[in-house]
Amino acid sequence: MTMSLRDILEAAARGVFPAADGGTAVVPQDGARDAGVIAFTAHSVVFTDEDPG
């Protein structure tokens, strides 16, 4: 199952954060005007409609 930005943010609101492993997750953006990066401790989430590769 692919996580969405909403899934990640809802989990963070419950205190469940992405692994602090220095990784980067790339997820689809929710809207055409909403692309960006959210950084957690040692983990970044990029939300964009670009190819993750």
Side-chain angles (χ1 to χ4, degrees):
M1 178 176 138
T2 302
M3 297 222 25
S4 68
L5 178 60
R6 181 180 185 142
D7 296 333
I8 294 167
L9 293 177
E10 286 178 347
R14 292 189 311 272
V16 179
F17 298 97
D21 59 2
T24 300
V26 180
V27 298
Q29 65 192 67
D30 289 332
R33 295 178 58 197
D34 301 322
V37 177
I38 294 180
F40 294 93
T41 302
H43 196 99
S44 297
V45 178
V46 178
F47 48 106
T48 182
D49 281 340
E50 295 298 320
D51 179 11

